[in-house]
Amino acid sequence: MQTPRRFEKTDPVRRPVADYRYLVPGLPKAHTRRRRLLDRLDSAAASPLVLVSAPAGTGKTTLVADWVRTRRAAHTTGWVSFEEGDEALWPQVTTVLGDLGVDLSVRPISSAPHSMDAHLLSALAGAVTEHASPLTIVLDHFELTDLDQAHDLDYLLRHCAGRLQVVVTTRVDPVLPLYRYRLANSVTEVRAADLAFTDEEAADVLVLSGFRLRPETVRALNTRTNGWVTGLRFAARALAGADDPDRAVARVIAETGDMGEYLLGEVLDAQEPAVRALLLESSIPDVLHPGLVEALPHHSAVRELGMLTRMNVFVEALEDSPGCYRYPPFFRELLRAQLAYESPDRPGELHRICARWFVDHGSASAAIGHLAATGAWPEAAARTIEELLVSDLLRDGSRGGLGRVLRDMPEDVGTEEAALVRAALALADGDLKGSADALDAARDARGAATVTWPVELTCAVLDAVTARFGDDLENADVTVAQALEVASADDHRASLPAALGLRALSLICRGTAALRHGDLPAAATAAAAAAESTLPGLEWIEQAALGQLAMVQAIAGELEQARRTAAEAAAVADCIGLPSERRSPAAALGMALVSLEQYDLDAVDAHLEQASRPLLATENPVWRGLLAQVRAGLLRARG
């Protein structure tokens, strides 16, 4: 019996002109031209392989179609669109090459196997090499997962003397030896991060959809969608009919709607059952750390997550944290919602697994978030106090990461630790009465229970910070002394960075008390000691101490020294991106005093404005008195 031939010699077969798969797709009506990426494709002229690999809906086909239509010659560029289930590569490739004028004496028969005979492949490479012009063919939506096809395509690319370029748009990285192409600089890659729309490009998409939004609104929407163009277009549809699109964006960001249906159908439900289960159950933590993924039920998750990044399933490897992965927010929240829908009890179990893992690995803030997610509020509050995280709450208030978690704690959680958490959040958010009431509630909840050192220290520091804003000078002296005594206690945790930060806060309070007594040397000594005792991660306390020191130096007439110290405080605050309402007003007050002495009245105005921004800026008696003094001096100087 004769073995069937892989190819048959024929005259060129003319296909119907209307065969859509060989036509370059049209561009969307509301098309945003992405010149930075078009230029990148232009620069790939010397690359035999151009790989455009990214998840569904990222604009791969539209980008390459725009490039072919606007920047490529029709007689040297061919296109093939593949549908799901298309496996035959070579019949399509030879058809396109024939249409481009390559002299082919062989064509694959319709039932040809995946691989080609070596001599026929060599003949095809020779025919391409002898063609008058270099050629480009686009394989759109082609998933090259067959090793035989990959071997043959690799051979063709390497033996066409640079006369053939293949552009592959795909959701799955081809099984080509990409490492070798990278080493030889013979591949140009466009990935999901490249295809992510910038804020400016996102604004163009929205303008073409009929919405001209404020830059900050565009930024919020684009951040939410991770620059995913399909998400932006779904958002534009959701904004249709809104009287105030800028205000409506908050609602659109919170909803899933069409975006969720698209992701379910095109991404999640397209996976194998085991991969689908991995995606759902690994969506609980915000970041998948090495070790954490093994603690979850999928023991081979690290390898599988690496595979999913190559399959472009909205899994991102974190460049600055090797071995860590995360999902974009819109996809992560969809996965969490779908998991809760399919297995209502499962999210709680996974949150508890994550909480235990983060506790064991010293990441208290992350553990608290998972405890709160399960409704374990007493444990979350206790962990906050035990880990001395009150300084984080005082720094960021209810808008910080930890504060956003704990502000939702129900009022009926009546433990002492819960009351201390409420006191810290109220104080940071400028609610002095709420803070005082919460501190009273903490003492009422204590009862006869033994007080732990973290609880005692937290309570003492909150008392000291609160006393800075009261008029009872004697009480302020006592509370500050108590806070410093507790902070210096012989406890093995007293040398921890967080404990040293709370001690530095107590020293700042001592400086304020000394200043109210008119003891400038003692105030300067306390502020300098506070600034020197802080460690990395506690820079916000350092800037507060430096600010207070600058203010004391200005009062003492040390104008140049005050200027340098205030500049140092501002540099520390700028380095950590501390917002103006969270900065100590003391540095700005000191600079206002310096500027007034030097008769720079415009600078006085500017510094007074800065000094009035922080929360509680006018509640401290010292700051209130200095503000009045500077304003009076400014009025006098202006007649």
Side-chain angles (χ1 to χ4, degrees):
M1 178 176 174
Q2 186 177 8
T3 302
R5 292 176 297 166
R6 294 186 174 184
F7 298 89
E8 59 182 7
K9 293 185 178 182
T10 70
D11 293 326
V13 178
R14 301 309 300 171
R15 55 179 171 74
V17 173
D19 193 341
Y20 73 92
R21 75 179 63 198
Y22 300 103
L23 301 177
V24 181
L27 301 177
K29 182 177 180 181
H31 173 59
T32 300
R33 179 148 290 140
R34 311 186 70 190
R35 289 178 174 80
R36 63 183 176 90
L37 295 179
L38 296 175
D39 292 343
R40 184 166 180 176
L41 292 176
D42 281 345
S43 69
S47 299
L49 176 64
V50 177
L51 179 61
V52 184
S53 180
T58 48
K60 302 181 294 292
T61 297
T62 299
L63 171 67
V64 178
D66 191 10
W67 179 63
V68 171
R69 284 180 171 273
T70 59
R71 303 198 179 187
R72 301 294 299 171
H75 67 280
T76 62
T77 307
W79 186 286
V80 186
S81 294
F82 289 83
E83 296 292 342
E84 186 175 355
D86 284 348
E87 296 182 352
L89 170 66
W90 294 109
Q92 319 299 349
V93 169
T94 53
T95 295
V96 170
L97 290 175
D99 289 347
L100 293 175
V102 175
D103 183 17
L104 300 177
S105 58
V106 294
R107 281 179 177 269
I109 60 176
S110 59
S111 60
H114 286 292
S115 61
M116 295 178 70
D117 286 335
H119 73 281
L120 295 175
L121 189 60
S122 178
L124 182 60
V128 171
T129 303
E130 293 172 2
H131 191 267
S133 304
L135 301 174
T136 296
I137 57 174
V138 178
L139 307 180
D140 185 35
H141 289 139
F142 182 60
E143 296 185 357
L144 185 56
T145 57
D146 183 89
L147 290 173
D148 288 336
Q149 286 183 344
H151 178 271
D152 291 345
L153 182 60
D154 177 51
Y155 178 93
L156 186 64
L157 288 172
R158 288 188 291 109
H159 290 83
C160 285
R163 307 286 288 176
L164 177 66
Q165 181 182 68
V166 174
V167 180
V168 181
T169 73
T170 181
R171 298 183 186 180
V172 179
D173 277 8
V175 291
L176 291 165
L178 292 177
Y179 69 92
R180 195 179 69 211
Y181 283 82
R182 291 169 183 143
L183 287 172
N185 290 322
S186 58
V187 60
T188 295
E189 299 179 70
V190 179
R191 296 283 180 176
D194 305 307
L195 289 163
F197 273 55
T198 65
D199 290 347
E200 292 76 15
E201 291 168 339
D204 290 341
V205 170
L206 295 167
V207 166
L208 290 170
S209 300
F211 303 100
R212 191 176 296 276
L213 305 180
R214 293 193 297 266
E216 59 272 21
T217 306
V218 173
R219 187 178 306 111
L221 181 58
N222 201 39
T223 299
R224 167 68 175 167
T225 59
N226 228 42
W228 184 43
V229 65
T230 299
L232 290 169
R233 291 196 170 116
F234 279 139
R237 286 178 54 181
L239 289 172
D243 294 332
D244 187 345
D246 281 289
R247 296 175 70 102
V249 162
R251 169 183 54 80
V252 170
I253 288 176
E255 295 175 354
T256 53
D258 292 338
M259 189 189 305
E261 293 181 14
Y262 181 93
L263 290 169
L264 282 173
E266 293 291 325
V267 181
L268 183 60
D269 291 340
Q271 308 305 318
E272 295 291 330
V275 174
R276 189 180 188 278
L278 169 63
L279 289 170
L280 290 172
E281 298 209 334
S282 62
S283 66
I284 293 301
D286 290 341
V287 175
L288 288 158
H289 298 268
L292 174 58
V293 288
E294 284 86 352
L296 297 170
H298 297 267
H299 298 296
S300 60
V302 173
R303 178 178 57 80
E304 292 173 354
L305 286 169
M307 176 190 69
L308 291 175
T309 61
R310 295 187 291 275
M311 292 173 60
N312 292 305
V313 189
F314 289 109
V315 182
E316 303 172 346
L318 301 186
E319 293 183 1
D320 55 349
S321 302
C324 294
Y325 298 88
R326 70 180 175 195
Y327 301 113
F330 62 87
F331 189 49
R332 181 174 63 240
E333 291 175 17
L334 169 84
L335 293 174
R336 289 175 178 174
Q338 191 65 19
L339 177 63
Y341 172 75
E342 295 179 8
S343 306
D345 296 332
R346 192 62 177 145
E349 298 170 6
L350 294 170
H351 274 299
R352 284 188 284 275
I353 291 173
C354 292
R356 285 195 297 272
W357 188 88
F358 280 115
V359 167
D360 292 342
H361 289 80
S363 184
S365 294
I368 290 164
H370 288 289
L371 289 170
T374 65
W377 291 107
E379 293 91 335
R383 180 62 56 181
T384 302
I385 302 305
E386 181 69 22
E387 300 294 335
L388 303 175
L389 296 179
V390 68
S391 60
D392 289 4
L393 298 180
L394 291 174
R395 179 190 62 208
D396 299 325
S398 59
R399 285 196 270 178
L402 185 59
R404 284 196 300 272
V405 171
L406 293 172
R407 70 186 178 189
D408 294 329
M409 183 168 54
E411 289 295 327
D412 59 2
V413 180
T415 65
E416 182 177 8
E417 293 90 345
L420 290 175
V421 166
R422 293 191 188 97
L425 288 174
L427 184 56
D429 291 341
D431 182 1
L432 288 174
K433 183 179 184 307
S435 177
D437 291 345
L439 282 170
D440 289 340
R443 293 185 179 88
D444 292 341
R446 180 176 299 176
T450 302
V451 180
T452 65
W453 181 75
V455 168
E456 186 180 9
L457 177 60
T458 299
C459 193
V461 170
L462 289 177
D463 275 337
V465 174
T466 302
R468 297 172 73 195
F469 303 100
D471 292 324
D472 189 341
L473 183 56
E474 183 177 349
N475 177 63
D477 292 340
V478 171
T479 55
V480 169
Q482 289 175 341
L484 284 168
E485 182 181 355
V486 176
S488 303
D490 186 16
D491 189 281
H492 69 280
R493 289 163 291 188
S495 60
L496 294 174
L500 293 176
L502 293 179
R503 184 177 183 279
L505 275 177
S506 301
L507 285 170
I508 293 174
C509 294
R510 167 178 277 182
T512 302
L515 195 56
R516 292 174 71 177
H517 283 291
D519 190 347
L520 295 184
T525 299
E532 292 171 0
S533 63
T534 55
L535 298 171
L538 298 170
E539 290 86 356
W540 77 276
I541 299 177
E542 181 184 2
Q543 65 84 33
L546 289 170
Q548 182 161 295
L549 180 58
M551 183 173 67
V552 173
Q553 290 166 342
I555 295 171
E558 301 169 4
L559 303 186
E560 190 54 38
Q561 185 61 48
R563 183 189 298 278
R564 288 197 296 269
T565 306
E568 187 179 352
V572 172
D574 290 341
C575 183
I576 61 174
L578 197 65
S580 60
E581 69 273 11
R582 295 290 171 195
R583 300 188 183 200
S584 169
L589 270 173
M591 285 304 301
L593 283 168
V594 171
S595 299
L596 185 61
E597 288 294 324
Q598 296 177 341
Y599 209 75
D600 187 350
L601 304 187
D602 289 340
V604 175
D605 274 330
H607 293 309
L608 283 176
E609 198 274 330
Q610 291 174 7
S612 301
R613 287 180 191 170
L615 298 170
L616 301 174
T618 60
E619 297 296 330
N620 187 307
V622 173
W623 297 339
R624 189 166 59 239
L626 286 172
L627 278 170
Q629 178 184 336
V630 174
R631 287 181 179 133
L634 183 62
L635 290 171
R636 183 171 60 249
R638 287 177 170 164

